[in-house]
Amino acid sequence: MIRVLIADDQPLVRRGLALILGPDPEFEVVGEAEDGARAVALARQVRPDVVVMDIRMPVLDGVKATEELARTLPETRVLALSTFDMDEYVVAALRAGAYGFLPKDISPEELIAAVRTVHTGEAAVAPRLLTRLISTYVRTPVRSRPAATAAPADLTPREREIWQLIAVGLDNAEIARELDISVSTVKNHITGIFGKLGVRDRAQAVIAAYESGLVEAGSGSG
């Protein structure tokens, strides 16, 4: 059973999310919070597997709450929610440690699938939506960035190529077709790339690509 905490400042939204997840025997809704501070405090008490976290909330916003949970409860995974597809706060939440993002107009089936995905430790963001988000809100000319954000020198040419394809929105199967290699080989390369970049997931790898100057706004596909 996946234990879920719901954090949103609108009671109707909290109730709606609980009504979607609660009846499914795979999920247990273990609490509801009306702001980020309450979400962090409640998460420390009930230790949920997943927090469905609204990004814009009073007292403590969802970005700061996500950052605090990633620091103090790393086993709890955050799925960020926003009213808008294109929201700079979403990029901040992903950078802070959120495992995924959903706009609030998603279907019940999409919510359930995303909570499952985040629970497994995978990023729940459509690759091309992720790329559009980050290319819109990360503005980092490489020459103006500190040297520490540059691409690691020990990335192999193949790893660098795959990192770039991740950053422009290709999923693993598309990368495999583009490079004429197997999906399992792509996954092995991605594991090495994440380790060398010091990132946890695909979302953070895409952010790092834009911050390093590997790709620039407007270079993504779709």
Side-chain angles (χ1 to χ4, degrees):
M1 185 173 285
I2 302 172
R3 293 163 51 80
V4 182
L5 172 66
I6 297 168
D8 195 291
D9 61 332
Q10 298 179 43
L12 190 61
V13 173
R14 293 199 305 272
R15 182 62 5 213
L17 295 171
L19 287 172
I20 291 170
L21 296 171
D24 191 314
E26 186 176 358
F27 303 104
E28 180 186 3
V29 177
V30 294
E32 299 180 20
E34 68 278 6
D35 60 60
R38 176 63 179 153
V40 171
L42 197 54
R44 287 173 176 159
Q45 292 176 29
V46 301
R47 302 294 174 121
D49 300 305
V50 177
V51 178
V52 179
M53 179 88 74
D54 185 23
I55 293 300
R56 298 172 184 260
M57 290 188 292
V59 185
L60 188 71
D61 67 34
V63 175
K64 291 185 175 64
T66 296
E67 187 174 40
E68 182 65 16
L69 288 176
R71 186 178 64 82
T72 61
L73 293 176
E75 69 279 6
T76 294
R77 287 153 183 165
V78 174
L79 175 62
L81 286 180
S82 174
T83 305
F84 307 105
D85 281 1
M86 301 299 288
D87 187 346
E88 62 186 311
Y89 281 73
V90 173
V91 175
L94 293 169
R95 186 183 276 120
Y99 274 75
F101 155 69
L102 289 176
K104 286 187 177 179
D105 61 356
I106 45 89
S107 69
E109 293 77 15
E110 288 171 318
L111 173 66
I112 288 169
V115 172
R116 286 177 181 146
T117 298
V118 166
H119 180 246
T120 67
E122 297 292 324
V125 190
R128 285 183 173 81
L129 174 57
L130 175 64
T131 301
R132 280 201 306 128
L133 272 168
I134 292 170
S135 67
T136 300
Y137 293 113
V138 176
R139 295 283 183 255
T140 52
V142 67
R143 59 184 173 276
S144 67
R145 301 294 291 175
T149 64
D154 59 346
L155 281 180
T156 67
R158 176 63 92 189
E159 287 172 338
R160 192 176 181 87
E161 188 175 21
I162 291 174
W163 183 27
Q164 189 162 25
L165 292 174
I166 291 170
V168 298
L170 273 63
D171 61 27
N172 290 357
E174 291 169 330
I175 292 170
R177 286 195 296 272
E178 177 76 17
L179 301 179
D180 196 24
I181 57 179
S182 70
V183 172
S184 62
T185 299
V186 172
K187 290 179 179 178
N188 289 338
H189 280 303
I190 288 174
T191 298
I193 291 165
F194 286 2
K196 290 177 181 179
L197 294 177
V199 302
R200 190 202 57 220
D201 58 27
R202 204 177 199 93
Q204 293 186 349
V206 176
I207 292 171
Y210 280 89
E211 290 183 332
S212 71
L214 179 73
V215 290
E216 297 178 358
S219 63
S221 60

